Amino acid sequence: MKDMADEVLFDFLHMEMVSHVYKEQQSSKGELDSKDRAVCVSILEGMGFRVGQGLIERMTRDSPSFKDELDMMKFICKDFWTQVFRKQIDNLRTNHQGTYVLQDNKFALLAQLSSGKQYLEDAPKYLAYSCGLVRGALSNLGLESVVTAEVSLMPSCKFQVVIQKL
Amino acid sequence: MKDMADEVLFDFLHMEMVSHVYKEQQSSKGELDSKDRAVCVSILEGMGFRVGQGLIERMTRDSPSFKDELDMMKFICKDFWTQVFRKQIDNLRTNHQGTYVLQDNKFALLAQLSSGKQYLEDAPKYLAYSCGLVRGALSNLGLESVVTAEVSLMPSCKFQVVIQKL
């Protein structure tokens, strides 16, 4: 009983935030066009960014520093992911030039949605916040990045991280 | 390391939501007057309400039904509070006529704020969402209520629940 609710607290909060951000745009604009939707995605991404920064700061406060960039990415895939999404990333790939692909075969925030095709279009709504979380966490570790996500088959999901070299 | 982040995930998300809701009002209105602040409180309360409904539904799905109203209130004070705020309510009082006072001596969402006097004014910002959580949870158990909160000495906090008899 306890575990079930633990599992869903974050998911409920997240769903409610997504729905609030879209509703507030809609109430001022009526039907949302692609520009309005981009605004929503950017609001959610920004909220995720700040939460990601705060979280990783608490998680790494007493940790030894990381060996290298790959070491940080592994921390995101294991410890950070488990904290927020209750499982590890299933697969991490890299070209060793600053691009990383993180694959989650059963992404928590998509698992509740129906797997029908019509939901594929909606997927960006539910991924923006998490892209922000990752970007915020990395930023706090000293890595500036661009994080995007794509869904091909629900509820599996790929996050692409491109580290911005200075 | 793990536990610290567990503790703060909800708190970070909550802070970020509060700050977003106030900022979006501010950006359209400039300085917030008391009416604008009431709008913010009501938005946050509504978000909490829907999350509270969803959470309690999951938590009680396999539970035996409750004996009476007091039994439900005890569930809110123990199980529900522990899920969301990581501790139980410290004191529950009732007049046995549908009014309940729930006292939390170290309320999680206030514990991060400084205890300076200037923060007392800000307290409603940080309590609205939680009032909604309680009202939503009770509503899902079949009790319509009015939930308010007050802070006299940070970070202790009292929630007053008045059950609306039909």
Side-chain angles (χ1 to χ4, degrees):
Chain A
M1 201 166 81
K2 238 182 149 188
D3 292 316
M4 275 178 71
D6 268 339
E7 267 186 31
V8 294
L9 177 56
F10 174 72
D11 306 4
F12 279 132
L13 285 163
H14 175 265
M15 278 293 179
E16 201 46 57
M17 264 183 316
V18 172
S19 120
H20 168 73
V21 167
Y22 277 75
K23 254 186 243 152
E24 92 201 348
Q25 282 291 315
Q26 218 150 18
S27 72
S28 63
K29 304 264 184 164
E31 269 301 282
L32 296 184
D33 62 20
S34 65
K35 206 173 133 195
D36 303 326
R37 278 192 292 267
V39 169
C40 293
V41 162
S42 145
I43 290 172
L44 290 167
E45 207 270 349
M47 294 172 80
F49 180 82
R50 288 180 294 276
V51 171
Q53 283 187 310
L55 266 184
I56 198 97
E57 195 179 318
R58 293 291 285 260
M59 288 181 72
T60 57
R61 191 174 283 172
D62 306 312
S63 301
S65 56
F66 294 99
K67 218 169 55 201
D68 54 21
E69 197 179 283
L70 183 60
D71 208 27
M72 294 178 193
M73 291 305 303
K74 285 181 179 166
F75 187 82
I76 299 287
C77 292
K78 289 185 186 174
D79 302 69
F80 186 79
W81 217 257
T82 303
Q83 274 308 317
V84 184
F85 302 116
R86 306 175 304 274
K87 68 184 285 297
Q88 297 185 12
I89 280 288
D90 295 294
N91 190 263
L92 168 65
R93 283 181 304 148
T94 177
N95 66 354
H96 297 287
Q97 296 183 10
T99 297
Y100 299 85
V101 177
L102 289 65
Q103 179 163 340
D104 188 331
N105 294 332
K106 200 184 170 191
F107 186 52
L109 301 181
L110 294 175
Q112 317 277 346
L113 301 178
S114 159
S115 51
K117 245 207 159 142
Q118 72 276 27
Y119 286 94
L120 271 182
E121 282 174 36
D122 266 349
K125 268 171 95 152
Y126 302 108
L127 299 174
Y129 192 86
S130 304
C131 288
L133 280 176
V134 174
R135 192 169 67 84
L138 289 173
S139 160
N140 211 65
L141 298 177
L143 296 177
E144 297 311 314
S145 63
V146 172
V147 181
T148 52
E150 60 170 62
V151 178
S152 45
L153 191 68
M154 300 268 269
S156 114
C157 177
K158 271 181 199 168
F159 291 85
Q160 190 185 55
V161 177
V162 180
I163 307 293
Q164 307 296 292
K165 307 286 176 187
L166 298 176
Chain B
M1 199 167 80
K2 240 184 147 186
D3 293 316
M4 276 179 70
D6 270 337
E7 268 186 30
V8 294
L9 177 57
F10 174 72
D11 307 5
F12 278 131
L13 284 164
H14 174 265
M15 278 294 179
E16 200 47 55
M17 263 183 315
V18 172
S19 118
H20 168 73
V21 166
Y22 277 75
K23 254 185 242 153
E24 92 201 346
Q25 282 291 315
Q26 219 150 18
S27 72
S28 62
K29 304 265 184 165
E31 269 302 282
L32 295 185
D33 62 20
S34 65
K35 205 172 131 196
D36 303 326
R37 278 192 292 268
V39 169
C40 293
V41 162
S42 143
I43 289 171
L44 290 168
E45 207 270 347
M47 293 172 80
F49 180 82
R50 287 179 294 274
V51 171
Q53 284 187 309
L55 267 184
I56 198 97
E57 195 178 318
R58 293 292 285 257
M59 288 180 72
T60 58
R61 189 174 286 172
D62 305 313
S63 302
S65 55
F66 294 100
K67 214 169 58 199
D68 53 21
E69 195 178 284
L70 183 59
D71 207 28
M72 292 177 195
M73 290 307 302
K74 285 181 180 166
F75 187 82
I76 299 288
C77 292
K78 288 185 186 174
D79 302 68
F80 186 78
W81 217 258
T82 304
Q83 274 308 315
V84 184
F85 302 116
R86 306 176 304 272
K87 67 184 285 296
Q88 298 185 12
I89 281 289
D90 294 294
N91 190 262
L92 169 65
R93 284 182 304 148
T94 177
N95 67 353
H96 296 286
Q97 295 182 10
T99 298
Y100 299 85
V101 177
L102 289 64
Q103 179 163 339
D104 187 331
N105 294 332
K106 199 182 170 194
F107 186 52
L109 301 181
L110 294 175
Q112 316 277 346
L113 300 177
S114 159
S115 51
K117 248 214 157 135
Q118 71 275 28
Y119 286 94
L120 269 184
E121 284 175 35
D122 266 349
K125 268 173 95 151
Y126 301 107
L127 299 174
Y129 192 87
S130 304
C131 288
L133 280 177
V134 175
R135 193 170 66 83
L138 288 173
S139 160
N140 210 64
L141 298 177
L143 296 177
E144 296 313 313
S145 63
V146 173
V147 181
T148 53
E150 59 170 63
V151 178
S152 45
L153 191 68
M154 301 266 270
S156 113
C157 177
K158 272 182 199 167
F159 291 84
Q160 191 187 54
V161 177
V162 181
I163 306 293
Q164 307 296 294
K165 305 288 177 188
L166 298 178

